[in-house]
């Protein structure tokens, strides 16, 4: 087994090579996408092995995060091709000015260098992260969870095949072989070898990285997303949006976990919500956990002490009645992870109040939180959803995987 330190040393060496041109990178990305499709059978066999091992330990919803299908592999390849079609961020002049003495000062976009990504059970992250890192001029070191290692290995093997076909060093993409906590700790503390660490996963992983990392780290992922149904909401529109936000894919970070309902519409709206989620013809019913006021209108599970602070990632949703939009905003401020929140209202001034005061990476009006996604935002795919304010916020695409430096051009000027 190649040690994590050996992988980091190789990655650092590659990151110091001359930058690849946009044309070369795009050609390689297309070869990587082709290699993924060409190796679909091998990738699916590896994924079946992961699924078999995980069946006894994870829920059906989490198994869905882990599972690959032919369609999902095709989607991964499509994501790579979309990244190839995007403008190259490397060398972009972000800002330019001329000093009074004639110096040309250009703030120029440049790669970080070695980007390490620690993630859990979603194999598609492997190809997304590799494609974005490569196009943005970085070298990636991928450290997936043990539950998805066979899938990640098969995916990386295919991507490296694409690089070799184009005569490019395969060490632009690296997979850590050690899936114990030791390798995660090594990445967190690899000062001088890792230029940026991105954890992508559950609350425990994110906290471990932000608490222990000695290298620059971006906080991503955890999503306690709220939908507030205002007194001026279109109730049928609200039901449709909440259904989508909760059930279209409950295991992802942009799925809604909490529904706040204005007290004046609660008697009418809550029974409708109950009927929608507990309908006999619904394959996956949603368990609602309501506060004491909600229980006056619908017979659901009483909300526990931690239910408004839990990312369920399942067919579960906490529901609370609030007296005003101000109370909804206050509740979100106290309980949100600053990922995505939505208001359903036909009142423009209330919508403006909500968007101005809710401090999250994505704030919606009359739309599902499920749109917080790099592909949906036109970024091709994403490295993760940053819930912090420095250096990136929201879906992280190519531009967020570059930092900048100042390039100053003169003609003999001295100070």
């Amino acid at each position: 087994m190649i040690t994590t330190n050996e992988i980091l040393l190789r990655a650092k060496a590659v990151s110091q090579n001359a930058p690849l041109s946009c044309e070369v990178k795009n050609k390689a990305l297309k070869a990587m996408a082709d290699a993924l499709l060409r190796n679909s059978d091998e990738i699916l066999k590896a994924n079946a092995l992961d699924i078999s091992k995980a069946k006894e330990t994870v829920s059906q919803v989490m198994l869905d995060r882990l599972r690959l299908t032919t369609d999902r592999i095709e989607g991964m390849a499509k994501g790579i091709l979309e990244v190839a079609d995007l403008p190259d961020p490397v060398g972009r002049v972000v800002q330019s000015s001329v000093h009074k003495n004639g110096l040309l000062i250009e703030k120029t976009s440049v790669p970080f260098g070695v980007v390490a990504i620690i993630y859990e059970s979603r194999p598609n992250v492997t190809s997304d992260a590799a494609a974005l890192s490569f196009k943005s001029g970085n070298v990636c070191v991928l450290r997936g969870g043990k539950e998805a290692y066979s899938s990640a290995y098969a995916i990386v093997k295919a991507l490296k095949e694409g690089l070799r076909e184009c005569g490019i060093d395969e060490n632009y993409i690296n997979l850590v072989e050690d899936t114990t906590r030791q390798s995660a700790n090594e990445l967190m503390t690899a000062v001088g070898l890792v230029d940026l660490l991105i954890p992508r996963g559950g609350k425990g992983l994110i906290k471990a990285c932000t608490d222990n990392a000695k290298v620059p780290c971006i906080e991503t992922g955890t999503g306690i997303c709220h939908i507030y149904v205002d007194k001026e909401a279109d109730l049928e529109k609200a039901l449709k949006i909440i259904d989508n936000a909760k059930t279209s894919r409950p295991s992802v970070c942009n799925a809604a976990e909490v529904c706040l309902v204005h007290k004046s519409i609660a008697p009418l709206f809550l029974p409708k919500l109950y009927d929608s989620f507990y309908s006999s013809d619904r394959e996956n019913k949603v368990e609602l956990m309501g506060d004491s006021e909600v229980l006056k209108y619908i017979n659901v599970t009483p909300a526990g002490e931690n239910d408004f602070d839990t990312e369920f990632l399942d067919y579960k949703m906490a529901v609370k009645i609030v007296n005003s939009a101000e109370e909804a905003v206050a509740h979100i401020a106290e309980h949100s992870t600053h990922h995505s929140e939505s208001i359903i209202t036909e009142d423009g001034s209330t919508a403006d109040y909500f968007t101005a005061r809710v401090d999250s990476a994505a704030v919606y009006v009359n739309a599902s939180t499920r749109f917080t996604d790099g592909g949906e935002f036109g970024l091709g795919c994403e490295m993760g959803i940053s819930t912090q304010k420095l250096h990136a916020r929201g879906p992280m695409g190519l531009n967020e995987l570059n930092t900048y430096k100042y390039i100053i051009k003169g003609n003999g000027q001295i100070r």
Side-chain angles (χ1 to χ4, degrees):
M1 182 173 72
I2 304 173
T3 68
T4 303
N5 189 63
E6 288 172 328
I7 290 171
L8 288 173
L9 289 170
R10 291 181 187 181
K12 191 66 175 180
V14 175
S15 75
Q16 294 168 340
N17 290 345
L20 300 173
S21 70
C22 182
E23 181 182 5
V24 168
K25 288 189 288 188
N26 288 344
K27 181 180 178 182
L29 286 165
K30 290 170 184 174
M32 288 157 61
D34 288 342
L36 262 189
L37 297 175
R38 192 166 58 243
N39 288 279
S40 287
D41 288 346
E42 184 178 341
I43 294 169
L44 289 173
K45 286 177 184 176
N47 183 247
L49 182 62
D50 287 333
I51 292 286
S52 177
K53 291 178 180 178
K55 276 184 176 177
E56 303 302 318
T57 59
V58 302
S59 68
Q60 286 299 314
V61 171
M62 297 308 288
L63 272 180
D64 180 62
R65 286 170 70 106
L66 177 57
R67 182 174 287 108
L68 287 176
T69 62
T70 300
D71 286 347
R72 287 186 180 181
I73 293 174
E74 289 175 355
M76 290 156 59
K78 181 173 180 285
I80 294 175
L81 294 176
E82 288 172 349
V83 170
D85 287 338
L86 292 171
D88 191 341
V90 180
R92 179 172 60 95
V93 177
V94 179
Q95 186 177 343
S96 179
S97 63
V98 178
H99 192 279
K100 61 183 178 182
N101 65 10
L103 284 176
L104 175 61
I105 303 169
E106 295 180 329
K107 183 179 181 180
T108 307
S109 180
V110 296
F112 279 94
V114 176
V115 177
I117 305 99
I118 302 177
Y119 57 106
E120 293 175 335
S121 60
R122 293 177 66 187
N124 65 293
V125 173
T126 304
S127 62
D128 289 355
L132 287 166
S133 295
F134 183 73
K135 178 68 181 265
S136 59
N138 294 290
V139 178
C140 69
V141 176
L142 305 166
R143 193 276 190 188
K146 63 182 179 181
E147 69 283 354
Y149 180 77
S150 296
S151 304
Y153 181 86
I155 292 167
V156 168
K157 182 180 177 183
L159 298 177
K160 285 177 173 284
E161 183 181 300
L163 290 178
R164 288 195 302 272
E165 288 174 3
C166 297
I168 295 172
D169 193 326
E170 66 177 37
N171 291 308
Y172 269 98
I173 301 171
N174 304 275
L175 180 68
V176 173
E177 297 184 16
D178 177 11
T179 57
T180 68
R181 289 185 180 180
Q182 174 62 26
S183 65
N185 290 334
E186 286 183 70
L187 294 180
M188 292 179 210
T189 57
V191 177
L193 294 177
V194 170
D195 297 292
L196 180 65
L197 174 66
I198 303 174
R200 181 169 173 175
K203 183 178 180 180
L205 170 62
I206 306 299
K207 189 174 190 305
C209 289
T210 54
D211 286 353
N212 299 305
K214 295 184 179 179
V215 299
C217 178
I218 290 184
E219 185 173 352
T220 72
T222 308
I224 301 178
C225 303
H226 297 73
I227 294 183
Y228 165 54
V229 186
D230 183 52
K231 64 180 180 180
E232 299 298 333
D234 178 323
L235 300 191
E236 294 307 312
K237 185 185 294 182
L239 289 171
K240 182 179 178 181
I241 290 170
I242 295 169
D243 191 348
N244 176 263
K246 178 71 266 182
T247 70
S248 61
R249 200 169 182 193
S251 63
V252 293
C253 62
N254 57 22
E257 305 289 19
V258 177
C259 179
L260 305 175
V261 180
H262 194 283
K263 66 176 182 179
S264 67
I265 61 164
L268 179 60
F269 180 73
L270 288 175
K272 289 177 179 288
L273 183 66
Y274 180 92
D275 290 345
S276 171
F277 279 159
Y278 288 86
S279 170
S280 60
D281 60 358
R282 180 185 284 275
E283 181 179 354
N284 295 298
K285 294 177 173 56
V286 177
E287 179 186 1
L288 298 176
M289 284 81 71
D291 71 354
S292 58
E293 292 300 308
V294 168
L295 297 179
K296 294 177 181 178
Y297 301 105
I298 51 177
N299 182 23
V300 296
T301 305
E305 182 180 353
N306 298 316
D307 284 340
F308 291 100
D309 297 291
T310 299
E311 185 182 27
F312 298 112
L313 302 174
D314 204 345
Y315 290 98
K316 297 181 178 182
M317 176 175 263
V319 185
K320 179 181 176 63
I321 290 177
V322 294
N323 294 315
S324 63
E326 289 80 4
E327 186 179 338
V329 169
H331 178 94
I332 292 170
E334 182 177 354
H335 299 275
S336 170
T337 54
H338 308 291
H339 190 295
S340 301
E341 330 295 346
S342 180
I343 181 173
I344 316 301
T345 187
E346 300 301 308
D347 186 321
S349 61
T350 303
D352 290 344
Y353 173 87
F354 188 87
T355 57
R357 287 165 177 77
V358 169
D359 186 20
S360 293
V363 185
Y364 293 85
V365 177
N366 294 326
S368 170
T369 57
R370 288 280 287 112
F371 286 102
T372 308
D373 172 87
E376 296 293 338
F377 282 15
L379 306 179
C381 48
E382 72 189 31
M383 188 64 80
I385 309 293
S386 171
T387 54
Q388 65 183 43
K389 298 183 182 182
L390 295 173
H391 112 101
R393 199 176 198 196
M396 294 179 60
L398 293 175
N399 290 333
E400 289 74 29
L401 290 175
N402 270 204
T403 181
Y404 58 85
K405 65 183 178 185
Y406 286 92
I407 297 175
I408 303 95
K409 300 173 182 177
N411 187 31
Q413 289 92 333
I414 60 173
R415 182 175 179 182

